[in-house]
Structure formats: C-alpha cells, structure tokens
C-alpha cells in the first residue's frame, strides 16, 4: 500500500480566526495582496521537525502559500524539502484569504491564482504540481471557471469538513 500525505503550510496568522475571513477573523484582510511575510518561530521550528520526520519518509504534497516565499528563513527550510524526491509543491493561494466566504470576485480571484501559480511554480521547479487547495477549505461554485482557466485541479481531500 502506498501512502500519500498532504499538508498546508499555514502559520498561526493564517488561521481563519486570525486572518482571511470576513466575519470570523480578528484581522480581516481586505485584499489578497500581502507583502513582507515573516514566519513565526513556531512554524520555523515545526518545519525543522517536519524535515527530519519526512526525510526518507512518505510522499508528501505541501500546499504552499505564495506569500511565504517572502520569508528567507522559511524558504531556506523549503529548499531542504525541495531536495527530497518524495516532496511535491502545490498552491494554497497567496495569503490565505478564504475566497468563497467573501462576495464573488472572479477578476481578483483569477489575478491571485495567476500570481500565486507563477510565483510558486517558478520556485518549486520540477516539484510543482498545478493543484489548488482552498484556504479554510472554502469552495464556491463560482471558483471553478477561474481555477480551470489558471490550469489548476482542485484538491478537495479536506472536504467535507465541519467547516465546509
């Protein structure tokens, strides 16, 4: 039997209670554009432990947030993971905005998808896969056409969840 693990690269600030949801977040984000991301020490330490655990371990797809590539400390750790043959990288969006919880905005969503895809795929190289996992697990029907137009396949392995 082959096992495959998928993980989201979310940091504490990406939890819907903190950011990205219009009603549940303490600091809702008005747009998808974010700059200057700095990983928390908790994420960096957890990533170090994850690297040791996954080395010579199961196949893993990491659903990465494009903004995380702003943080050199996090990117250094991701570089170690990218050297492993069992690691694939896919897209979790730009800054963890829960798109389908906001009013429909196909133009902005499409812009975010393209920017996140381009940044993450250029970084990940051959480890890149055009898979998208919606932040917070939120998926709305209006998202299908922009996802397809950007060349993504929707990963819905976390659905249904108690939030969706």
């Amino acid at each position: 039997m082959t096992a495959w693990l998928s993980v989201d690269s979310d940091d504490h600030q990406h939890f819907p209670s903190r950011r990205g949801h219009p009603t549940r977040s303490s600091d809702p984000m008005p747009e998808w554009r974010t700059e200057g991301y700095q990983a928390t020490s908790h994420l960096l330490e957890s990533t170090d432990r994850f690297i040791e655990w996954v080395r010579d371990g199961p196949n893993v797809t990491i659903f990465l947030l494009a903004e995380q590539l702003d943080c050199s400390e996090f990117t250094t750790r991701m570089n170690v993971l990218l050297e492993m043959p069992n690691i694939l990288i896919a897209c979790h969006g730009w800054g963890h905005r829960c798109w389908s919880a906001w009013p429909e905005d196909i133009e902005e969503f499409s812009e975010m998808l393209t920017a996140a895809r381009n940044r993450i795929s250029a970084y990940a190289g051959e480890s890149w896969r055009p898979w998208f996992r919606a932040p917070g697990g939120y998926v709305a029907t209006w998202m299908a056409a922009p996802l397809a137009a950007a060349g993504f396949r929707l990963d819905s392995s976390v659905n249904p969840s108690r939030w969706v």
Side-chain angles (χ1 to χ4, degrees), residues 128-150:
W128 164 253
R129 295 299 181 272
W131 303 330
F132 180 83
R133 181 177 287 167
Y138 292 99
V139 180
T141 56
W142 65 266
M143 295 170 73
L147 284 163

Side-chain angles (χ1 to χ4, degrees), residues 3-7 50 53-54 58-63 86 88 133:
W4 196 282
L5 174 68
S6 66
V7 296
F50 181 74
W53 179 80
V54 78
N59 296 318
V60 178
T61 300
I62 299 171
F63 285 87
N86 56 324
L88 296 177
R133 181 177 287 167

